[in-house]
Amino acid sequence: NGDLKIMDYAPFKNLNLKKEITDKTGITITVENDINAAAFGYSQTNKVLAAIYFPEEFPPGSALIFNQNIFKGNNNMSGEIKYLLTINPINFPLRTSDIEQTITEAIQSVIAMYDPHEVVLFISKKWLDYLDMSHITEELDEIFPNDTLAKITVSHDFSKYYLDGLIKIGLTEISMTE
């Protein structure tokens, strides 16, 4: 019904942000979550892209882009990977000793569920000190059948892709109304 049910920013929880802004400004807006926008901004092809965002203080989120469309699911909850059994929101922020294992499990879950062409992992640069991406790739390569592991890309440019995604979403909305 437009209410923000899953929200890390408490003042917006259960708020219908779209209605509030539209009522106050008279401008119809689109509200999109951060990882969906960043994944959409990153995506440049019609392939299947999965993105996982690990903010330092909060549980991760993910997004799925199919043929340049954001997949949101029945209740707009697609990508809420903090509800996976392996990810416990109580454990955030993560201890540095848990970063690699938690990221590996999130990537494995997303690949198992969606079989994307690519997984982009948005993490902060300081987390790289606690990750061995070649070890993660080797571990996942052993789990998934020969040559089925998605390309895994690490990006520290979340803000850039988030802004790119908001622009693409805005342009898409404009072209749909014309």
Side-chain angles (χ1 to χ4, degrees), residues 32-64:
E32 190 56 71
N33 80 16
D34 53 0
I35 183 57
N36 281 352
F40 194 54
Y42 180 91
S43 178
Q44 300 297 319
T45 69
N46 284 335
K47 293 183 176 180
V48 178
L49 172 74
I52 306 171
Y53 174 40
F54 273 90
E56 291 179 19
E57 301 294 319
F58 299 101
S62 73
L64 192 63

Side-chain angles (χ1 to χ4, degrees), residues 37-166:
F40 194 54
Y42 180 91
S43 178
Q44 300 297 319
T45 69
N46 284 335
K47 293 183 176 180
V48 178
L49 172 74
I52 306 171
Y53 174 40
F54 273 90
E56 291 179 19
E57 301 294 319
F58 299 101
S62 73
L64 192 63
I65 310 296
F66 284 107
N67 297 320
Q68 293 299 302
N69 291 296
I70 300 170
F71 178 77
K72 296 183 182 189
N74 182 47
N75 293 297
N76 292 319
M77 284 190 43
S78 177
E80 293 296 337
I81 63 173
K82 66 183 174 189
Y83 296 121
L84 290 172
L85 292 173
T86 59
I87 297 176
N88 185 346
I90 295 169
N91 295 334
F92 285 83
L94 286 174
R95 293 179 303 198
T96 55
S97 60
D98 293 334
I99 290 173
E100 185 167 319
Q101 185 63 35
T102 303
I103 286 175
T104 303
E105 290 169 354
I107 294 170
Q108 180 180 345
S109 296
V110 165
I111 291 172
M113 289 184 301
Y114 301 123
D115 189 25
H117 295 93
E118 181 178 2
V119 175
V120 60
L121 178 63
F122 292 108
I123 59 171
S124 70
K125 286 183 182 179
K126 78 178 192 180
W127 277 25
L128 279 183
D129 294 339
Y130 309 105
L131 289 178
D132 179 351
M133 286 309 296
S134 62
H135 178 255
I136 290 173
T137 303
E138 288 170 13
E139 188 176 326
L140 293 171
D141 227 357
E142 289 179 20
I143 293 169
F144 292 99
N146 294 340
D147 299 322
T148 62
L149 184 64
K151 175 183 174 185
I152 301 171
T153 305
V154 175
S155 175
H156 313 295
D157 294 328
F158 184 81
S159 294
K160 176 206 179 309
Y161 290 115
Y162 174 67
L163 180 58
D164 290 349
L166 292 177

